[in-house]
Amino acid sequence: MARVVAISVAPVKGLALERRESVELTLAGVEGDRRFYLVDESGHLINQKRVPALATVFPAVTDGRVCLRFPGGEEVAAEVELGEEVETSFYGRPVRGRLVVGPWSEALTGHAGTTLRLVRTEREGDGLDRGTRAGVSMISTGSLRALAAQAGRDAVDGRRFRMLLTLDGLEPHGEDAWLDRRVRVGGATIELVGNVGRCAVTTRDPDTGVRDLETLDLIEAYRGDVPTTEPLPFGVWGRIVEPGAVRLGDPAEPEP
């Protein structure tokens, strides 16, 4: 039986991931996951593809307070105060948010060397790439091993794919066989809907942001002919149909 071996969320979309031992899945995903995001001075969504240095900033959001930890140990923290309303295009989907007033934008701008502003979505789940219809993303260790073999490496760090759940106990890309099915994971039920198509963010080391692995070429080489809902498929996404808690070690099994 497959089991959950890693849980990762992004309190601020585009910054370093936060590992969790457990999460509560709601109909909109994990509360707080990607609730905050970054835009440039023109209002365009920013991630590590455009600003690799973001990989080295670790966020923490607790009780209305945001803390960003920068390389070298410097921390910038304050209570959240919301400013003017903005609308941001998330890959063609409009997302309403509010600029966040405080010290973070200035600190991120100094770190990245380009103007950045911190924004909070108006609604939970809107900061996910596919919105609330895709509250869960999932990859297996078997798939990571297959990619490592393709790359001639001993291992590939799953964090570069920024998935919510990592499962052990499946064959390479065994999660693809769960598409269009309901899967019980811990106390929640998920309906898996589509493949996760990959972009250049995955070519970068999750600790440094340095481009060090040509993931897109590798995936194209051995999965280019796979039937898929999105190009360059690696992992799957779905929606929560029955909320519940998911913990490390919980089983994951499709319904009959």
Side-chain angles (χ1 to χ4, degrees):
M1 181 180 294
R3 293 190 178 276
V4 178
V5 293
I7 302 172
S8 302
V9 299
V12 180
K13 187 179 181 70
L15 300 188
L17 295 173
E18 177 185 300
R19 292 291 205 186
R20 299 269 184 92
E21 292 189 356
S22 65
V23 288
E24 188 75 25
L25 294 185
T26 72
L27 293 177
V30 176
E31 183 178 354
D33 189 18
R34 293 161 172 83
R35 184 71 191 273
F36 294 84
Y37 64 95
L38 302 173
V39 297
D40 63 15
E41 57 187 343
S42 300
H44 294 115
L45 182 67
I46 294 296
N47 61 21
Q48 293 177 28
K49 183 166 60 176
R50 288 186 55 187
V51 185
L54 297 178
T56 62
V57 181
F58 289 82
V61 179
T62 53
D63 298 325
R65 184 177 179 84
V66 173
C67 176
L68 302 183
R69 178 165 52 85
F70 291 83
E74 177 192 2
E75 292 189 353
V76 177
E79 298 293 325
V80 171
E81 178 185 346
L82 299 179
E84 66 178 277
E85 295 183 0
V86 296
E87 185 174 277
T88 307
S89 175
F90 273 56
Y91 314 108
R93 175 175 56 89
V95 170
R96 294 175 57 198
R98 301 274 296 276
L99 292 176
V100 182
V101 180
W104 309 281
S105 295
E106 181 179 356
L108 287 163
T109 294
H111 175 69
T114 187
T115 300
L116 298 175
R117 294 183 292 176
L118 183 66
V119 185
R120 196 192 78 174
T121 64
E122 287 282 74
R123 298 188 308 170
E124 287 282 356
D126 275 355
L128 301 170
D129 283 356
R130 299 161 188 83
T132 55
R133 69 192 181 107
V136 173
S137 57
M138 182 185 300
I139 191 72
S140 69
T141 57
S143 300
L144 294 170
R145 288 194 298 270
L147 184 64
Q150 186 72 18
R153 290 189 171 196
D154 291 336
V156 170
D157 192 330
R159 290 178 301 157
R160 70 174 66 231
F161 297 101
R162 303 181 69 83
M163 307 295 268
L164 177 64
L165 303 178
T166 303
L167 305 181
D168 195 21
L170 291 174
E171 295 181 354
H173 305 290
E175 60 272 26
D176 289 5
W178 290 354
L179 288 175
D180 300 320
R181 299 183 67 181
R182 292 191 173 191
V183 179
R184 188 75 179 174
V185 184
T189 301
I190 301 161
E191 182 178 28
L192 293 174
V193 177
N195 303 95
V196 179
R198 292 305 172 177
C199 71
V201 167
T202 64
T203 66
R204 300 190 178 278
D205 182 282
D207 289 319
T208 66
V210 173
R211 186 165 182 150
D212 68 340
L213 183 63
E214 296 305 314
T215 50
L216 306 186
D217 292 341
L218 293 166
I219 293 169
E220 172 67 25
Y222 86 107
R223 285 181 59 79
D225 296 331
V226 172
T228 179
T229 62
E230 297 180 6
L232 301 175
F234 201 81
V236 294
W237 62 269
R239 64 185 185 94
I240 297 98
V241 295
E242 183 179 332
V246 176
R247 300 175 176 83
L248 293 179
D250 276 351
E253 187 173 23
E255 294 183 349

